[in-house]
Amino acid sequence: MNVALFQPEIPQNTAAILRTLACLGARGHIIGPAAFDLSPRAIRRAGLDYAATVPLTQHPTFDAFKAAAPGRVVLFTTRADMALTDFAFDQSDTLLFGRESAGVPDEVHAAADVRLRIPLVPGARSLNLAVAVGIALMTATVSSGALVAKGLK
């Protein structure tokens, strides 16, 4: 399973996401530019001892990411009609998440293979990015059979 962050803005969220990826055995992708330092030293510092265990690829643009992305690009967005619980994930899917402040631009939204939302109670706008990634990644990992394949069950 893969998780991609589009131009992340908050380093603490990215660090929490790296830890989640490490714990669930997922690969990470960061689509630039990020709003903070992504040097190997900064990643190690932010991700503590977990950062070194996450295969992390940095892509300078969305086009570069899209050309290299394995499997389907599954965008999580509040503008989606389909809930993540109604989707059959595959282990090769890449779960894509937008900027904390603005999501993804329309052209990235349109380029995704699938668009999903995390169901929320009426009136709730959105979740913290790191929380959303955790919910989506665990759901996708269970749905795709990757949980059992990795011996995590």
Side-chain angles (χ1 to χ4, degrees):
M1 196 65 60
N2 295 274
V3 171
L5 305 178
F6 180 85
Q7 299 179 353
E9 299 168 320
I10 302 174
Q12 295 86 347
N13 278 339
T14 301
I17 291 165
L18 288 175
R19 185 175 184 153
T20 300
L21 300 183
C23 290
L24 295 178
R27 293 173 296 283
H29 300 264
I30 295 181
I31 303 162
F36 50 88
D37 182 12
L38 282 173
S39 67
R41 181 175 181 224
I43 292 287
R44 278 192 312 275
R45 185 171 181 219
L48 303 172
D49 55 335
Y50 288 94
T53 66
V54 178
L56 184 63
T57 304
Q58 295 183 40
H59 306 273
T61 65
F62 179 75
D63 289 338
F65 159 75
K66 184 73 168 148
R72 299 174 294 191
V73 174
V74 180
L75 174 64
F76 283 81
T77 172
T78 58
R79 297 190 290 165
D81 293 325
M82 182 185 291
L84 84 155
T85 51
D86 296 329
F87 183 71
F89 290 91
D90 185 86
Q91 291 180 32
S92 65
D93 288 339
T94 299
L95 313 181
L96 174 61
F97 296 85
R99 284 181 243 129
E100 287 92 340
S101 66
V104 298
D106 289 339
E107 60 272 13
V108 171
H109 195 276
D113 298 306
V114 178
R115 285 160 292 286
L116 300 176
R117 63 178 168 74
I118 297 171
L120 302 175
V121 299
R125 290 181 296 131
S126 64
L127 294 163
N128 169 276
L129 180 63
V131 172
V133 169
I135 291 168
L137 182 57
M138 181 54 81
T139 301
T141 301
V142 170
S143 170
S144 70
L147 192 70
V148 174
K150 292 181 181 279
L152 299 175
K153 192 163 184 176

